[in-house]
């Protein structure tokens, strides 16, 4: 099985501290499935707030003991604020060096971008200056038909898709980050285009496609059946076309679709509470999904600010989160529980009360459809490899 491509491990094994700057809540696009319901062009981070946040975090070295750090920049679209980002990163490098901080030379600057202004001179100069410590993913949803269904320009009538504005920058991006991965989001309207979109992204040279369904409760009664059909067609295409040796699609993974032990497999799915985010007002959050612009029905959960620091008592509920404390009985006993994801912020937003301990199960049927297709994928692949090995040994 050595020739089967595995999805890359997270940098530093996924244990690096993740610190997110919400540098702007503005974006050129108005993606229809976007969970950021409060995007606007007014809330942009100032240099003073950014510096205050950095000074506080780096002065509390004993509170942030992780060996490494990911400095994450999001929006909206983060590269709208490339001047501020460049200044932040220069300051971070200088201060980590000056303080002999344990994160010096063990850090990443991370971006997820819509790719529209990726080729701008300022962004390219920033990349050239920081390339050794950069992780950049460009979001492209697949074929033009699928991409333009949801990822449309803001404020334009008739609607105008952004595919052509993004795809032109993919060759440049891949030349700079040959292992670059993209993230694809699936909603009910674009289910019919899953297979063709993943194959299209492979054809562009993108070898790792991270893809997931939206966590919100938007699914129609027959979506799981349509979803499974598309994934089986995709499985056939990947295996019959020998894509599996060089390309990866996160819908197919060995670890999903198994029962889970409530004692040994009892971790929380995400790092909410272990990561921190800071916004333009200088407020700290346990994750960006708890900021006001991410929430439909709930108040933001603020755990401190750049002036007074983080109130550790407000983090205690997050540090006790695990699978058992927030899952209904059906999830704990589920025969295909492994790999079924959740978003802590969506749990909170969709809960009946102001609790973070009520797991949203909106993707339950979609996960089970994925498991069935995943089983099909691996069974077919194993049979093919066994036949190839038998032929070689004859």
């Amino acid at each position: 099985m050595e020739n089967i491509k595995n999805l890359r491990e997270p940098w530093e094994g996924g244990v690096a501290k993740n610190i997110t700057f919400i540098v702007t809540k503005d974006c050129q696009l108005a993606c229809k499935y976007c969970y950021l319901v409060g995007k606007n062009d007014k809330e942009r981070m100032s240099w003073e707030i950014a510096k205050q946040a950095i000074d506080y975090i780096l002065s509390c070295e004993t509170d942030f003991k992780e060996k490494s750090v990911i400095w994450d920049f999001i929006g909206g679209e983060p590269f709208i604020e490339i001047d501020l980002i460049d200044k932040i990163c220069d300051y971070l490098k200088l201060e980590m060096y000056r303080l002999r901080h344990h994160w010096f030379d063990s850090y990443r600057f991370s971006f997820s971008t819509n790719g529209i202004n990726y080729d701008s001179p300022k962004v390219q100069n920033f990349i050239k200056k920081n390339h050794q410590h950069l992780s950049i993913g460009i979001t492209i949803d697949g074929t033009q038909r699928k991409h333009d269904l949801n990822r449309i320009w803001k404020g334009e009538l008739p609607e105008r898709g952004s595919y052509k504005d993004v795809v032109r920058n993919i060759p440049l991006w891949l030349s700079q980050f040959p292992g670059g991965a993209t993230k694809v989001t699936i909603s009910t309207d674009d289910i019919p285009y899953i297979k063709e979109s993943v194959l299209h992204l492979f054809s562009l040279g993108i070898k790792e496609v991270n893809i997931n369904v939206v966590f919100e409760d938007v699914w129609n009664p027959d979506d799981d059946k349509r979803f499974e059909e598309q994934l089986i067609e995709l499985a056939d295409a990947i295996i019959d076309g020998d894509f599996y040796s060089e390309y990866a699609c996160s819908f197919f993974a060995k670890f999903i679709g198994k029962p889970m032990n409530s004692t040994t497999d009892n971790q929380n799915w995400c790092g909410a509470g272990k990561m921190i985010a800071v916004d333009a007002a200088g407020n700290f959050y346990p994750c960006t999904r708890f900021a006001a612009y991410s929430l439909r029905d709930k108040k933001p959960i603020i755990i401190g600010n750049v002036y007074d620091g983080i109130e550790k008592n407000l983090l205690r509920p997050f540090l006790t989160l695990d699978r058992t404390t927030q899952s209904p009985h059906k999830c704990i006993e589920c025969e295909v529980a492994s790999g079924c994801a959740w978003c802590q912020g969506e749990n909170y937003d969709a809960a009946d009360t102001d609790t973070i301990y009520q797991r949203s199960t909106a993707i339950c049927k979609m996960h089970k459809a994925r498991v069935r297709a995943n089983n099909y994928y691996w069974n077919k692949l194993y049979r093919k490899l066994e036949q190839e090995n038998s032929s070689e040994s004859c």
Side-chain angles (χ1 to χ4, degrees):
M1 299 296 291
E2 292 82 7
N3 61 340
I4 295 178
K5 164 92 172 163
N6 290 316
L7 294 173
R8 294 176 307 186
E9 289 294 319
W11 183 64
E12 293 295 321
V15 296
K17 188 72 176 182
N18 191 293
I19 299 171
T20 300
F21 292 87
I22 306 173
V23 291
T24 179
K25 295 180 181 177
D26 194 15
C27 184
Q28 306 100 320
L29 303 183
C31 301
K32 296 177 184 178
Y33 52 55
C34 186
Y35 65 87
L36 299 175
V37 295
K39 288 191 291 188
N40 64 80
D41 60 3
K42 297 179 177 61
E43 295 179 81
R44 299 190 174 199
M45 184 174 286
S46 67
W47 163 243
E48 290 72 23
I49 289 293
K51 181 179 182 300
Q52 191 91 11
I54 295 166
D55 290 344
Y56 166 73
I57 291 166
L58 294 184
S59 70
C60 299
E61 190 170 0
T62 56
D63 291 334
F64 303 110
K65 297 179 181 179
E66 292 85 352
K67 175 185 174 182
S68 306
V69 64
I70 297 172
W71 302 102
D72 191 25
F73 298 88
I74 70 165
E77 166 52 38
F79 283 142
I80 289 176
E81 291 294 321
I82 186 59
D83 289 334
L84 173 65
I85 289 169
D86 191 34
K87 192 171 183 178
I88 288 173
C89 292
D90 281 352
Y91 186 68
L92 279 168
K93 289 181 288 186
L94 286 170
E95 284 299 283
M96 288 190 292
Y97 174 79
R98 185 182 69 82
L99 297 169
R100 298 183 179 180
H101 198 283
H102 70 276
W103 285 339
F104 177 69
D105 208 33
S106 189
Y107 66 91
R108 287 285 184 274
F109 297 138
S110 177
F111 299 83
S112 180
T113 171
N114 61 31
I116 288 171
N117 59 349
Y118 184 84
D119 61 342
S120 70
K122 287 184 178 181
V123 172
Q124 285 301 303
N125 287 336
F126 174 81
I127 290 172
K128 185 180 297 185
K129 182 165 63 174
N130 295 285
H131 190 273
Q132 183 180 353
H133 291 278
L134 273 183
S135 173
I136 299 179
I138 291 181
T139 300
I140 181 168
D141 255 3
T143 61
Q144 182 170 359
R145 176 163 56 176
K146 181 190 177 327
H147 184 99
D148 286 350
L149 190 65
N150 284 304
R151 302 186 67 80
I152 60 174
W153 281 86
K154 177 180 67 176
E156 294 201 12
L157 291 174
E159 291 182 355
R160 180 165 70 93
S162 60
Y163 174 85
K164 291 182 179 178
D165 305 288
V166 178
V167 75
R168 65 182 176 81
N169 284 324
I170 297 300
L172 173 61
W173 169 56
L174 290 177
S175 72
Q176 295 169 329
F177 301 95
T182 194
K183 180 181 178 295
V184 178
T185 301
I186 303 298
S187 58
T188 182
D189 290 338
D190 50 28
I191 289 175
Y193 314 121
I194 293 174
K195 171 195 165 185
E196 66 179 41
S197 289
V198 173
L199 296 179
H200 178 67
L201 294 173
F202 290 168
S203 75
L204 293 177
I206 301 171
K207 294 191 174 182
E208 182 174 335
V209 177
N210 294 309
I211 187 167
N212 63 272
V213 299
V214 298
F215 288 102
E216 289 78 13
D217 188 7
V218 297
W219 302 105
N220 297 321
D222 291 331
D223 282 349
D224 57 328
K225 296 177 182 177
R226 298 192 302 134
F227 183 50
E228 182 179 354
E229 290 170 359
Q230 273 292 299
L231 292 191
I232 288 176
E233 289 184 19
L234 176 60
D236 286 337
I238 290 175
I239 295 170
D240 296 343
D242 292 331
F243 290 106
Y244 57 86
S245 60
E246 293 186 43
Y247 298 86
C249 173
S250 62
F251 271 147
F252 304 120
K254 289 183 179 179
F255 70 91
I256 76 165
K258 300 177 178 64
M260 296 181 70
N261 187 301
S262 59
T263 301
T264 59
D265 301 316
N266 199 31
Q267 296 81 18
N268 193 25
W269 182 265
C270 72
K274 297 178 182 178
M275 61 179 74
I276 57 174
V278 59
D279 69 0
N283 292 319
F284 285 121
Y285 304 89
C287 165
T288 60
R289 287 296 299 255
F290 292 90
Y293 82 141
S294 299
L295 298 168
R296 303 179 302 275
D297 300 313
K298 297 293 196 307
K299 295 179 180 180
I301 294 182
I302 298 172
I303 57 171
N305 58 66
V306 298
Y307 309 106
D308 304 315
I310 294 173
E311 174 53 63
K312 294 179 182 178
N313 283 332
L314 297 176
L315 279 175
R316 290 182 184 275
F318 291 90
L319 301 181
T320 63
L321 281 167
D322 55 35
R323 191 172 72 94
T324 302
T325 56
Q326 61 188 299
S327 300
H329 183 73
K330 68 175 183 177
C331 295
I332 295 172
E333 298 297 321
C334 180
E335 291 295 314
V336 294
S338 63
C340 186
W342 61 85
C343 169
Q344 208 65 58
E346 174 60 20
N347 287 356
Y348 169 65
D349 208 8
D352 299 327
T353 62
D354 291 343
T355 180
I356 59 173
Y357 291 98
Q358 182 176 325
R359 178 175 169 181
S360 171
T361 59
I363 67 167
C364 177
K365 65 179 184 179
M366 303 301 285
H367 170 70
K368 290 177 179 178
R370 177 194 175 196
V371 168
R372 293 191 294 270
N374 187 65
N375 290 340
Y376 173 89
Y377 174 90
W378 289 103
N379 286 331
K380 178 168 181 170
L381 181 56
Y382 277 123
R383 286 196 303 271
K384 178 176 180 176
L385 294 176
E386 286 175 356
Q387 292 171 357
E388 290 177 352
N389 290 335
S390 296
S391 299
E392 291 174 1
S393 60
C394 291

